[in-house]
Amino acid sequence: MVNNEKRIFEGIGWRIGAMNEQQILKRIQLLEYHQKLIVMLLNNPNLEFYKLIIENRISEQETQKFYSLCDKLSKKMEEQKAEGFVYFYPLFDEFLDSLPLNFFIKELIHSCLKQQLYEPLFKEFVKYL
């Protein structure tokens, strides 16, 4: 590799030789995912959850795990409401234990509410912050 090319890669934070192909591919996939989210943010800068994903370098797979968790807990909450439950702290506790992401919980809940994601679930969870 020519010295100029090496300097360019090092200038953007990549150390040639320190990363294998799999690591580089993973990093490219993360950047592509974040790029898609940035394009959506251009049209709607109020998409707080997407900003949080980018700021915390969360992958698409981790985001999908989060959505699956929220789907599961939303269904549980609806079932429990139908059975007459009014106290949902055990679901909140399950959410904290299962959360596959490295978010600050308060910031995560508020960003989801601002973006209107899983509103019934997070309106309950905000009570336990």
Side-chain angles (χ1 to χ4, degrees):
M1 180 177 283
V2 180
N3 282 340
N4 285 341
E5 289 175 338
K6 188 174 180 180
R7 274 192 297 241
I8 290 169
F9 281 112
E10 287 174 350
I12 60 173
W14 293 12
R15 292 188 176 173
I16 304 306
M19 297 178 78
N20 64 32
E21 286 180 32
Q22 195 66 22
Q23 290 170 316
I24 293 171
L25 180 60
K26 203 172 178 181
R27 195 163 186 176
I28 289 170
Q29 289 170 337
L30 180 67
L31 291 170
E32 287 175 340
Y33 175 56
H34 289 175
Q35 184 181 22
K36 284 193 291 188
L37 296 179
I38 289 169
V39 169
M40 287 189 252
L41 281 165
L42 290 173
N43 293 325
N44 186 352
N46 296 320
L47 299 174
E48 296 293 325
F49 180 65
Y50 292 165
K51 287 179 189 176
L52 206 56
I53 289 170
I54 295 165
E55 289 169 357
N56 289 285
R57 301 177 47 93
I58 303 302
S59 71
E60 191 167 10
Q61 293 80 14
E62 290 171 313
T63 304
Q64 290 306 318
K65 286 180 187 176
F66 173 78
Y67 288 144
S68 294
L69 174 64
C70 291
D71 286 337
K72 180 180 114 182
L73 293 177
S74 291
K75 288 175 187 171
K76 272 188 175 182
M77 188 177 78
E78 289 307 312
E79 291 169 3
Q80 290 180 3
K81 278 186 177 182
E83 294 173 8
F85 284 67
V86 293
Y87 182 70
F88 300 101
Y89 188 82
L91 285 180
F92 179 69
D93 201 36
E94 185 178 342
F95 177 71
L96 293 178
D97 290 341
S98 303
L99 197 60
L101 308 175
N102 297 325
F103 288 126
F104 293 108
I105 191 67
K106 188 174 184 178
E107 186 179 23
L108 173 62
I109 291 173
H110 287 296
S111 69
C112 287
L113 284 171
K114 282 184 181 177
Q115 197 166 321
Q116 300 174 334
L117 296 173
Y118 301 98
E119 278 186 285
L121 183 68
F122 288 115
K123 282 182 180 178
E124 285 298 325
F125 287 177
V126 78
K127 296 174 185 177
Y128 305 115
L129 294 178

